[in-house]
Amino acid sequence: MRIADAQWIPSTPHQTWDALMDPEVLQKCLPGCVRVEKRTATEYALSLHARVAGQESHYECDVLLSELNPPHGCAVAFDAKSTAASLAIGTAQITLSPKDDGTRLAYTVAAMAGGSLAQVGEPILMNAGGKLVNKFFGAFIEHMAKVPRAAPPPEPEEPERGLAASRWSWLAVAAVVLVILGYHAFYK
C-alpha cells in the first residue's frame, strides 16, 4: 500500500516541525491514540485503538526517525502489532517547505499488513489508511491554526575558518616568524 499527498499547514515550517515532534500534539491529533512516549530524540512508542473492516484492535507501535533535517523533513520507519495477531510495517518520507504564509507538508507512506489485517484486502486497507490520514491532518491543521505565529529561530552562524578563526592560530604564526627572525639574527 502506498499513499502520497501533501497538506497545507497554517504555521511556519519550524512550528510545524516542533508540533510533529511533540508527543502531546501527536496524541491529541492521532485518531484512537491512547499514548505517545518519546523514548529518545529519534524513537517514539505509541498505543492506539483502530477499527478496520469491522475489526477493532489495540496496537502497540514503534516509530523510528532518521535522516533528520529540522525543520525540512525526515524519514520514518514504523511497525504496529495488535492483540488480534495483526501487523503493519512501513516507512514514510516527510518534507516541509514554506508555502503561502504557511507550510507545505508533503508525505509518501509505504506500508504492508500481515496477519488478520492483511486478509481484509488492499482496497479496504487503502480506504482505512486514507481516513486515518485525513482525520489526523484535520485535527493537526485545527491545532496549528490555534498556535500563535512565532518567528523562526536564527540560523546557526557558520564557524569561521582559516587563520582568522582562532587567536591561537595568529600566535602560532607569530611564533614561527619570531623563530625565523631569531635564526637569521643569531646564526647568520
PDB file of all heavy atoms in Angstrom, residues 18-57:
ATOM      1  N   ASP A  18       8.198  21.392  15.099  1.00  0.00           N
ATOM      2  CA  ASP A  18       8.147  21.231  16.556  1.00  0.00           C
ATOM      3  C   ASP A  18       6.886  20.491  16.987  1.00  0.00           C
ATOM      4  O   ASP A  18       6.934  19.635  17.873  1.00  0.00           O
ATOM      5  CB  ASP A  18       8.225  22.592  17.251  1.00  0.00           C
ATOM      6  CG  ASP A  18       9.601  23.240  17.142  1.00  0.00           C
ATOM      7  OD1 ASP A  18      10.572  22.542  16.751  1.00  0.00           O
ATOM      8  OD2 ASP A  18       9.703  24.450  17.431  1.00  0.00           O
ATOM      9  N   ALA A  19       5.755  20.802  16.362  1.00  0.00           N
ATOM     10  CA  ALA A  19       4.496  20.135  16.713  1.00  0.00           C
ATOM     11  C   ALA A  19       4.528  18.657  16.325  1.00  0.00           C
ATOM     12  O   ALA A  19       4.034  17.806  17.071  1.00  0.00           O
ATOM     13  CB  ALA A  19       3.329  20.840  16.043  1.00  0.00           C
ATOM     14  N   LEU A  20       5.121  18.342  15.177  1.00  0.00           N
ATOM     15  CA  LEU A  20       5.204  16.947  14.752  1.00  0.00           C
ATOM     16  C   LEU A  20       6.105  16.117  15.673  1.00  0.00           C
ATOM     17  O   LEU A  20       5.969  14.900  15.752  1.00  0.00           O
ATOM     18  CB  LEU A  20       5.726  16.859  13.315  1.00  0.00           C
ATOM     19  CG  LEU A  20       4.767  17.297  12.229  1.00  0.00           C
ATOM     20  CD1 LEU A  20       5.487  17.365  10.886  1.00  0.00           C
ATOM     21  CD2 LEU A  20       3.557  16.380  12.149  1.00  0.00           C
ATOM     22  N   MET A  21       7.027  16.764  16.362  1.00  0.00           N
ATOM     23  CA  MET A  21       7.931  16.067  17.280  1.00  0.00           C
ATOM     24  C   MET A  21       7.405  16.054  18.719  1.00  0.00           C
ATOM     25  O   MET A  21       8.013  15.433  19.590  1.00  0.00           O
ATOM     26  CB  MET A  21       9.319  16.724  17.268  1.00  0.00           C
ATOM     27  CG  MET A  21      10.022  16.706  15.924  1.00  0.00           C
ATOM     28  SD  MET A  21      10.342  15.038  15.351  1.00  0.00           S
ATOM     29  CE  MET A  21       9.651  15.115  13.705  1.00  0.00           C
ATOM     30  N   ASP A  22       6.281  16.715  18.976  1.00  0.00           N
ATOM     31  CA  ASP A  22       5.725  16.851  20.322  1.00  0.00           C
ATOM     32  C   ASP A  22       4.759  15.702  20.628  1.00  0.00           C
ATOM     33  O   ASP A  22       3.705  15.591  19.991  1.00  0.00           O
ATOM     34  CB  ASP A  22       5.006  18.194  20.429  1.00  0.00           C
ATOM     35  CG  ASP A  22       4.507  18.496  21.823  1.00  0.00           C
ATOM     36  OD1 ASP A  22       4.300  17.564  22.630  1.00  0.00           O
ATOM     37  OD2 ASP A  22       4.294  19.682  22.113  1.00  0.00           O
ATOM     38  N   PRO A  23       5.067  14.842  21.603  1.00  0.00           N
ATOM     39  CA  PRO A  23       4.193  13.714  21.928  1.00  0.00           C
ATOM     40  C   PRO A  23       2.768  14.135  22.293  1.00  0.00           C
ATOM     41  O   PRO A  23       1.805  13.444  21.939  1.00  0.00           O
ATOM     42  CB  PRO A  23       4.882  13.045  23.120  1.00  0.00           C
ATOM     43  CG  PRO A  23       6.298  13.466  23.037  1.00  0.00           C
ATOM     44  CD  PRO A  23       6.289  14.837  22.418  1.00  0.00           C
ATOM     45  N   GLU A  24       2.606  15.248  22.981  1.00  0.00           N
ATOM     46  CA  GLU A  24       1.260  15.695  23.369  1.00  0.00           C
ATOM     47  C   GLU A  24       0.424  16.058  22.152  1.00  0.00           C
ATOM     48  O   GLU A  24      -0.764  15.729  22.081  1.00  0.00           O
ATOM     49  CB  GLU A  24       1.347  16.877  24.327  1.00  0.00           C
ATOM     50  CG  GLU A  24       1.881  16.508  25.695  1.00  0.00           C
ATOM     51  CD  GLU A  24       1.989  17.700  26.630  1.00  0.00           C
ATOM     52  OE1 GLU A  24       1.323  18.723  26.385  1.00  0.00           O
ATOM     53  OE2 GLU A  24       2.741  17.587  27.607  1.00  0.00           O
ATOM     54  N   VAL A  25       1.019  16.746  21.191  1.00  0.00           N
ATOM     55  CA  VAL A  25       0.300  17.119  19.974  1.00  0.00           C
ATOM     56  C   VAL A  25      -0.051  15.864  19.178  1.00  0.00           C
ATOM     57  O   VAL A  25      -1.174  15.718  18.689  1.00  0.00           O
ATOM     58  CB  VAL A  25       1.129  18.107  19.112  1.00  0.00           C
ATOM     59  CG1 VAL A  25       0.459  18.363  17.768  1.00  0.00           C
ATOM     60  CG2 VAL A  25       1.343  19.414  19.864  1.00  0.00           C
ATOM     61  N   LEU A  26       0.901  14.957  19.051  1.00  0.00           N
ATOM     62  CA  LEU A  26       0.632  13.722  18.314  1.00  0.00           C
ATOM     63  C   LEU A  26      -0.499  12.928  18.960  1.00  0.00           C
ATOM     64  O   LEU A  26      -1.392  12.438  18.268  1.00  0.00           O
ATOM     65  CB  LEU A  26       1.903  12.870  18.236  1.00  0.00           C
ATOM     66  CG  LEU A  26       3.042  13.443  17.392  1.00  0.00           C
ATOM     67  CD1 LEU A  26       4.277  12.571  17.517  1.00  0.00           C
ATOM     68  CD2 LEU A  26       2.623  13.601  15.947  1.00  0.00           C
ATOM     69  N   GLN A  27      -0.474  12.800  20.284  1.00  0.00           N
ATOM     70  CA  GLN A  27      -1.523  12.050  20.971  1.00  0.00           C
ATOM     71  C   GLN A  27      -2.879  12.696  20.762  1.00  0.00           C
ATOM     72  O   GLN A  27      -3.882  12.016  20.569  1.00  0.00           O
ATOM     73  CB  GLN A  27      -1.212  11.941  22.463  1.00  0.00           C
ATOM     74  CG  GLN A  27      -2.215  11.071  23.195  1.00  0.00           C
ATOM     75  CD  GLN A  27      -1.804  10.772  24.622  1.00  0.00           C
ATOM     76  OE1 GLN A  27      -0.635  10.903  24.974  1.00  0.00           O
ATOM     77  NE2 GLN A  27      -2.743  10.354  25.429  1.00  0.00           N
ATOM     78  N   LYS A  28      -2.919  14.009  20.773  1.00  0.00           N
ATOM     79  CA  LYS A  28      -4.170  14.750  20.578  1.00  0.00           C
ATOM     80  C   LYS A  28      -4.719  14.576  19.157  1.00  0.00           C
ATOM     81  O   LYS A  28      -5.926  14.477  18.963  1.00  0.00           O
ATOM     82  CB  LYS A  28      -3.920  16.227  20.866  1.00  0.00           C
ATOM     83  CG  LYS A  28      -5.075  17.139  20.596  1.00  0.00           C
ATOM     84  CD  LYS A  28      -4.676  18.572  20.863  1.00  0.00           C
ATOM     85  CE  LYS A  28      -5.760  19.529  20.414  1.00  0.00           C
ATOM     86  NZ  LYS A  28      -5.364  20.930  20.585  1.00  0.00           N
ATOM     87  N   CYS A  29      -3.824  14.521  18.156  1.00  0.00           N
ATOM     88  CA  CYS A  29      -4.254  14.543  16.765  1.00  0.00           C
ATOM     89  C   CYS A  29      -4.403  13.167  16.114  1.00  0.00           C
ATOM     90  O   CYS A  29      -5.159  13.030  15.144  1.00  0.00           O
ATOM     91  CB  CYS A  29      -3.284  15.393  15.940  1.00  0.00           C
ATOM     92  SG  CYS A  29      -3.246  17.128  16.451  1.00  0.00           S
ATOM     93  N   LEU A  30      -3.697  12.157  16.598  1.00  0.00           N
ATOM     94  CA  LEU A  30      -3.800  10.822  16.002  1.00  0.00           C
ATOM     95  C   LEU A  30      -5.111  10.156  16.425  1.00  0.00           C
ATOM     96  O   LEU A  30      -5.369   9.998  17.622  1.00  0.00           O
ATOM     97  CB  LEU A  30      -2.632   9.940  16.438  1.00  0.00           C
ATOM     98  CG  LEU A  30      -1.313  10.161  15.730  1.00  0.00           C
ATOM     99  CD1 LEU A  30      -0.183   9.439  16.454  1.00  0.00           C
ATOM    100  CD2 LEU A  30      -1.403   9.708  14.291  1.00  0.00           C
ATOM    101  N   PRO A  31      -5.948   9.757  15.483  1.00  0.00           N
ATOM    102  CA  PRO A  31      -7.216   9.109  15.828  1.00  0.00           C
ATOM    103  C   PRO A  31      -6.994   7.821  16.619  1.00  0.00           C
ATOM    104  O   PRO A  31      -6.150   7.007  16.250  1.00  0.00           O
ATOM    105  CB  PRO A  31      -7.852   8.800  14.467  1.00  0.00           C
ATOM    106  CG  PRO A  31      -7.124   9.634  13.478  1.00  0.00           C
ATOM    107  CD  PRO A  31      -5.760   9.892  14.045  1.00  0.00           C
ATOM    108  N   GLY A  32      -7.711   7.673  17.709  1.00  0.00           N
ATOM    109  CA  GLY A  32      -7.624   6.464  18.517  1.00  0.00           C
ATOM    110  C   GLY A  32      -6.370   6.340  19.361  1.00  0.00           C
ATOM    111  O   GLY A  32      -6.139   5.307  19.978  1.00  0.00           O
ATOM    112  N   CYS A  33      -5.563   7.390  19.406  1.00  0.00           N
ATOM    113  CA  CYS A  33      -4.295   7.316  20.142  1.00  0.00           C
ATOM    114  C   CYS A  33      -4.549   7.366  21.640  1.00  0.00           C
ATOM    115  O   CYS A  33      -5.249   8.235  22.143  1.00  0.00           O
ATOM    116  CB  CYS A  33      -3.375   8.451  19.715  1.00  0.00           C
ATOM    117  SG  CYS A  33      -1.712   8.274  20.396  1.00  0.00           S
ATOM    118  N   VAL A  34      -3.957   6.434  22.350  1.00  0.00           N
ATOM    119  CA  VAL A  34      -4.073   6.349  23.800  1.00  0.00           C
ATOM    120  C   VAL A  34      -2.845   6.953  24.473  1.00  0.00           C
ATOM    121  O   VAL A  34      -2.946   7.621  25.490  1.00  0.00           O
ATOM    122  CB  VAL A  34      -4.242   4.872  24.238  1.00  0.00           C
ATOM    123  CG1 VAL A  34      -4.273   4.751  25.752  1.00  0.00           C
ATOM    124  CG2 VAL A  34      -5.470   4.263  23.604  1.00  0.00           C
ATOM    125  N   ARG A  35      -1.655   6.720  23.863  1.00  0.00           N
ATOM    126  CA  ARG A  35      -0.407   7.154  24.484  1.00  0.00           C
ATOM    127  C   ARG A  35       0.663   7.361  23.428  1.00  0.00           C
ATOM    128  O   ARG A  35       0.755   6.588  22.471  1.00  0.00           O
ATOM    129  CB  ARG A  35       0.056   6.077  25.467  1.00  0.00           C
ATOM    130  CG  ARG A  35       1.442   6.262  26.041  1.00  0.00           C
ATOM    131  CD  ARG A  35       1.879   5.050  26.885  1.00  0.00           C
ATOM    132  NE  ARG A  35       1.985   3.818  26.140  1.00  0.00           N
ATOM    133  CZ  ARG A  35       3.095   3.426  25.494  1.00  0.00           C
ATOM    134  NH1 ARG A  35       4.158   4.175  25.498  1.00  0.00           N
ATOM    135  NH2 ARG A  35       3.121   2.276  24.842  1.00  0.00           N
ATOM    136  N   VAL A  36       1.459   8.415  23.612  1.00  0.00           N
ATOM    137  CA  VAL A  36       2.669   8.625  22.808  1.00  0.00           C
ATOM    138  C   VAL A  36       3.797   8.873  23.793  1.00  0.00           C
ATOM    139  O   VAL A  36       3.712   9.756  24.632  1.00  0.00           O
ATOM    140  CB  VAL A  36       2.543   9.828  21.843  1.00  0.00           C
ATOM    141  CG1 VAL A  36       3.859  10.054  21.113  1.00  0.00           C
ATOM    142  CG2 VAL A  36       1.410   9.626  20.861  1.00  0.00           C
ATOM    143  N   GLU A  37       4.843   8.093  23.661  1.00  0.00           N
ATOM    144  CA  GLU A  37       6.006   8.231  24.538  1.00  0.00           C
ATOM    145  C   GLU A  37       7.235   8.500  23.677  1.00  0.00           C
ATOM    146  O   GLU A  37       7.528   7.738  22.749  1.00  0.00           O
ATOM    147  CB  GLU A  37       6.209   6.938  25.334  1.00  0.00           C
ATOM    148  CG  GLU A  37       7.456   6.914  26.168  1.00  0.00           C
ATOM    149  CD  GLU A  37       7.730   5.534  26.750  1.00  0.00           C
ATOM    150  OE1 GLU A  37       6.841   4.662  26.739  1.00  0.00           O
ATOM    151  OE2 GLU A  37       8.865   5.326  27.216  1.00  0.00           O
ATOM    152  N   LYS A  38       7.939   9.580  23.998  1.00  0.00           N
ATOM    153  CA  LYS A  38       9.184   9.880  23.294  1.00  0.00           C
ATOM    154  C   LYS A  38      10.303   9.216  24.076  1.00  0.00           C
ATOM    155  O   LYS A  38      10.656   9.650  25.165  1.00  0.00           O
ATOM    156  CB  LYS A  38       9.387  11.394  23.213  1.00  0.00           C
ATOM    157  CG  LYS A  38      10.588  11.795  22.394  1.00  0.00           C
ATOM    158  CD  LYS A  38      10.646  13.301  22.221  1.00  0.00           C
ATOM    159  CE  LYS A  38      11.806  13.682  21.336  1.00  0.00           C
ATOM    160  NZ  LYS A  38      11.825  15.123  21.052  1.00  0.00           N
ATOM    161  N   ARG A  39      10.866   8.151  23.532  1.00  0.00           N
ATOM    162  CA  ARG A  39      11.914   7.399  24.222  1.00  0.00           C
ATOM    163  C   ARG A  39      13.278   8.073  24.084  1.00  0.00           C
ATOM    164  O   ARG A  39      14.033   8.146  25.030  1.00  0.00           O
ATOM    165  CB  ARG A  39      11.989   5.982  23.679  1.00  0.00           C
ATOM    166  CG  ARG A  39      10.772   5.163  24.028  1.00  0.00           C
ATOM    167  CD  ARG A  39      10.903   3.765  23.501  1.00  0.00           C
ATOM    168  NE  ARG A  39       9.762   2.961  23.921  1.00  0.00           N
ATOM    169  CZ  ARG A  39       9.402   1.854  23.308  1.00  0.00           C
ATOM    170  NH1 ARG A  39      10.087   1.403  22.281  1.00  0.00           N
ATOM    171  NH2 ARG A  39       8.354   1.183  23.744  1.00  0.00           N
ATOM    172  N   THR A  40      13.598   8.507  22.875  1.00  0.00           N
ATOM    173  CA  THR A  40      14.829   9.239  22.600  1.00  0.00           C
ATOM    174  C   THR A  40      14.487  10.315  21.582  1.00  0.00           C
ATOM    175  O   THR A  40      13.330  10.442  21.183  1.00  0.00           O
ATOM    176  CB  THR A  40      15.940   8.320  22.022  1.00  0.00           C
ATOM    177  OG1 THR A  40      15.561   7.917  20.701  1.00  0.00           O
ATOM    178  CG2 THR A  40      16.193   7.109  22.894  1.00  0.00           C
ATOM    179  N   ALA A  41      15.480  11.050  21.122  1.00  0.00           N
ATOM    180  CA  ALA A  41      15.238  12.089  20.125  1.00  0.00           C
ATOM    181  C   ALA A  41      14.740  11.509  18.804  1.00  0.00           C
ATOM    182  O   ALA A  41      14.124  12.218  18.007  1.00  0.00           O
ATOM    183  CB  ALA A  41      16.502  12.901  19.888  1.00  0.00           C
ATOM    184  N   THR A  42      14.967  10.215  18.578  1.00  0.00           N
ATOM    185  CA  THR A  42      14.555   9.610  17.312  1.00  0.00           C
ATOM    186  C   THR A  42      13.623   8.408  17.461  1.00  0.00           C
ATOM    187  O   THR A  42      13.275   7.773  16.471  1.00  0.00           O
ATOM    188  CB  THR A  42      15.796   9.153  16.509  1.00  0.00           C
ATOM    189  OG1 THR A  42      16.534   8.221  17.295  1.00  0.00           O
ATOM    190  CG2 THR A  42      16.662  10.329  16.118  1.00  0.00           C
ATOM    191  N   GLU A  43      13.209   8.080  18.684  1.00  0.00           N
ATOM    192  CA  GLU A  43      12.357   6.910  18.907  1.00  0.00           C
ATOM    193  C   GLU A  43      11.103   7.268  19.703  1.00  0.00           C
ATOM    194  O   GLU A  43      11.195   7.941  20.722  1.00  0.00           O
ATOM    195  CB  GLU A  43      13.113   5.835  19.676  1.00  0.00           C
ATOM    196  CG  GLU A  43      14.282   5.247  18.932  1.00  0.00           C
ATOM    197  CD  GLU A  43      15.021   4.236  19.791  1.00  0.00           C
ATOM    198  OE1 GLU A  43      14.497   3.118  19.962  1.00  0.00           O
ATOM    199  OE2 GLU A  43      16.097   4.586  20.294  1.00  0.00           O
ATOM    200  N   TYR A  44       9.980   6.793  19.207  1.00  0.00           N
ATOM    201  CA  TYR A  44       8.694   7.005  19.871  1.00  0.00           C
ATOM    202  C   TYR A  44       7.993   5.654  20.017  1.00  0.00           C
ATOM    203  O   TYR A  44       8.201   4.759  19.207  1.00  0.00           O
ATOM    204  CB  TYR A  44       7.790   7.918  19.044  1.00  0.00           C
ATOM    205  CG  TYR A  44       8.246   9.353  18.963  1.00  0.00           C
ATOM    206  CD1 TYR A  44       9.282   9.739  18.116  1.00  0.00           C
ATOM    207  CD2 TYR A  44       7.633  10.338  19.723  1.00  0.00           C
ATOM    208  CE1 TYR A  44       9.701  11.049  18.037  1.00  0.00           C
ATOM    209  CE2 TYR A  44       8.046  11.661  19.643  1.00  0.00           C
ATOM    210  CZ  TYR A  44       9.074  12.006  18.803  1.00  0.00           C
ATOM    211  OH  TYR A  44       9.485  13.307  18.732  1.00  0.00           O
ATOM    212  N   ALA A  45       7.148   5.554  21.041  1.00  0.00           N
ATOM    213  CA  ALA A  45       6.279   4.394  21.219  1.00  0.00           C
ATOM    214  C   ALA A  45       4.850   4.915  21.304  1.00  0.00           C
ATOM    215  O   ALA A  45       4.591   5.923  21.966  1.00  0.00           O
ATOM    216  CB  ALA A  45       6.640   3.635  22.484  1.00  0.00           C
ATOM    217  N   LEU A  46       3.933   4.250  20.610  1.00  0.00           N
ATOM    218  CA  LEU A  46       2.533   4.669  20.597  1.00  0.00           C
ATOM    219  C   LEU A  46       1.640   3.495  20.944  1.00  0.00           C
ATOM    220  O   LEU A  46       1.957   2.350  20.614  1.00  0.00           O
ATOM    221  CB  LEU A  46       2.116   5.150  19.196  1.00  0.00           C
ATOM    222  CG  LEU A  46       2.660   6.434  18.646  1.00  0.00           C
ATOM    223  CD1 LEU A  46       4.021   6.244  18.060  1.00  0.00           C
ATOM    224  CD2 LEU A  46       1.717   6.967  17.607  1.00  0.00           C
ATOM    225  N   SER A  47       0.516   3.801  21.560  1.00  0.00           N
ATOM    226  CA  SER A  47      -0.553   2.837  21.748  1.00  0.00           C
ATOM    227  C   SER A  47      -1.809   3.458  21.157  1.00  0.00           C
ATOM    228  O   SER A  47      -2.100   4.624  21.425  1.00  0.00           O
ATOM    229  CB  SER A  47      -0.814   2.565  23.234  1.00  0.00           C
ATOM    230  OG  SER A  47       0.282   1.924  23.822  1.00  0.00           O
ATOM    231  N   LEU A  48      -2.523   2.678  20.339  1.00  0.00           N
ATOM    232  CA  LEU A  48      -3.755   3.224  19.766  1.00  0.00           C
ATOM    233  C   LEU A  48      -4.763   2.131  19.496  1.00  0.00           C
ATOM    234  O   LEU A  48      -4.428   0.959  19.391  1.00  0.00           O
ATOM    235  CB  LEU A  48      -3.464   4.038  18.502  1.00  0.00           C
ATOM    236  CG  LEU A  48      -2.701   3.417  17.351  1.00  0.00           C
ATOM    237  CD1 LEU A  48      -3.636   2.761  16.354  1.00  0.00           C
ATOM    238  CD2 LEU A  48      -1.912   4.498  16.659  1.00  0.00           C
ATOM    239  N   HIS A  49      -6.019   2.553  19.425  1.00  0.00           N
ATOM    240  CA  HIS A  49      -7.128   1.668  19.077  1.00  0.00           C
ATOM    241  C   HIS A  49      -7.559   2.026  17.671  1.00  0.00           C
ATOM    242  O   HIS A  49      -7.713   3.204  17.346  1.00  0.00           O
ATOM    243  CB  HIS A  49      -8.314   1.848  20.028  1.00  0.00           C
ATOM    244  CG  HIS A  49      -8.057   1.343  21.409  1.00  0.00           C
ATOM    245  ND1 HIS A  49      -8.010   0.012  21.721  1.00  0.00           N
ATOM    246  CD2 HIS A  49      -7.815   2.005  22.557  1.00  0.00           C
ATOM    247  CE1 HIS A  49      -7.757  -0.126  23.014  1.00  0.00           C
ATOM    248  NE2 HIS A  49      -7.627   1.064  23.542  1.00  0.00           N
ATOM    249  N   ALA A  50      -7.754   1.011  16.845  1.00  0.00           N
ATOM    250  CA  ALA A  50      -8.184   1.260  15.474  1.00  0.00           C
ATOM    251  C   ALA A  50      -9.226   0.221  15.079  1.00  0.00           C
ATOM    252  O   ALA A  50      -9.199  -0.917  15.542  1.00  0.00           O
ATOM    253  CB  ALA A  50      -7.002   1.209  14.528  1.00  0.00           C
ATOM    254  N   ARG A  51     -10.119   0.647  14.203  1.00  0.00           N
ATOM    255  CA  ARG A  51     -11.156  -0.250  13.674  1.00  0.00           C
ATOM    256  C   ARG A  51     -10.978  -0.291  12.158  1.00  0.00           C
ATOM    257  O   ARG A  51     -11.103   0.718  11.482  1.00  0.00           O
ATOM    258  CB  ARG A  51     -12.528   0.253  14.054  1.00  0.00           C
ATOM    259  CG  ARG A  51     -13.639  -0.628  13.635  1.00  0.00           C
ATOM    260  CD  ARG A  51     -14.983  -0.057  14.105  1.00  0.00           C
ATOM    261  NE  ARG A  51     -16.024  -1.011  13.948  1.00  0.00           N
ATOM    262  CZ  ARG A  51     -16.369  -1.920  14.848  1.00  0.00           C
ATOM    263  NH1 ARG A  51     -15.732  -1.969  15.988  1.00  0.00           N
ATOM    264  NH2 ARG A  51     -17.337  -2.773  14.625  1.00  0.00           N
ATOM    265  N   VAL A  52     -10.680  -1.470  11.641  1.00  0.00           N
ATOM    266  CA  VAL A  52     -10.509  -1.660  10.206  1.00  0.00           C
ATOM    267  C   VAL A  52     -11.384  -2.834   9.780  1.00  0.00           C
ATOM    268  O   VAL A  52     -11.257  -3.938  10.316  1.00  0.00           O
ATOM    269  CB  VAL A  52      -9.025  -1.944   9.851  1.00  0.00           C
ATOM    270  CG1 VAL A  52      -8.868  -2.188   8.363  1.00  0.00           C
ATOM    271  CG2 VAL A  52      -8.138  -0.802  10.301  1.00  0.00           C
ATOM    272  N   ALA A  53     -12.254  -2.586   8.819  1.00  0.00           N
ATOM    273  CA  ALA A  53     -13.148  -3.620   8.273  1.00  0.00           C
ATOM    274  C   ALA A  53     -13.896  -4.363   9.374  1.00  0.00           C
ATOM    275  O   ALA A  53     -13.998  -5.584   9.357  1.00  0.00           O
ATOM    276  CB  ALA A  53     -12.364  -4.588   7.406  1.00  0.00           C
ATOM    277  N   GLY A  54     -14.396  -3.627  10.338  1.00  0.00           N
ATOM    278  CA  GLY A  54     -15.168  -4.224  11.416  1.00  0.00           C
ATOM    279  C   GLY A  54     -14.337  -4.855  12.515  1.00  0.00           C
ATOM    280  O   GLY A  54     -14.883  -5.323  13.508  1.00  0.00           O
ATOM    281  N   GLN A  55     -13.026  -4.904  12.343  1.00  0.00           N
ATOM    282  CA  GLN A  55     -12.150  -5.468  13.363  1.00  0.00           C
ATOM    283  C   GLN A  55     -11.580  -4.339  14.199  1.00  0.00           C
ATOM    284  O   GLN A  55     -10.899  -3.455  13.684  1.00  0.00           O
ATOM    285  CB  GLN A  55     -10.980  -6.225  12.726  1.00  0.00           C
ATOM    286  CG  GLN A  55     -11.351  -7.481  12.014  1.00  0.00           C
ATOM    287  CD  GLN A  55     -10.115  -8.172  11.453  1.00  0.00           C
ATOM    288  OE1 GLN A  55      -9.110  -7.528  11.182  1.00  0.00           O
ATOM    289  NE2 GLN A  55     -10.194  -9.485  11.290  1.00  0.00           N
ATOM    290  N   GLU A  56     -11.861  -4.364  15.490  1.00  0.00           N
ATOM    291  CA  GLU A  56     -11.280  -3.366  16.384  1.00  0.00           C
ATOM    292  C   GLU A  56     -10.134  -4.014  17.134  1.00  0.00           C
ATOM    293  O   GLU A  56     -10.270  -5.116  17.664  1.00  0.00           O
ATOM    294  CB  GLU A  56     -12.329  -2.853  17.369  1.00  0.00           C
ATOM    295  CG  GLU A  56     -11.822  -1.686  18.170  1.00  0.00           C
ATOM    296  CD  GLU A  56     -12.938  -0.958  18.901  1.00  0.00           C
ATOM    297  OE1 GLU A  56     -14.073  -0.977  18.428  1.00  0.00           O
ATOM    298  OE2 GLU A  56     -12.644  -0.379  19.952  1.00  0.00           O
ATOM    299  N   SER A  57      -8.984  -3.317  17.139  1.00  0.00           N
ATOM    300  CA  SER A  57      -7.799  -3.859  17.795  1.00  0.00           C
ATOM    301  C   SER A  57      -7.039  -2.761  18.510  1.00  0.00           C
ATOM    302  O   SER A  57      -7.127  -1.588  18.159  1.00  0.00           O
ATOM    303  CB  SER A  57      -6.858  -4.512  16.775  1.00  0.00           C
ATOM    304  OG  SER A  57      -7.395  -5.709  16.295  1.00  0.00           O
TER     305      SER A  57
END
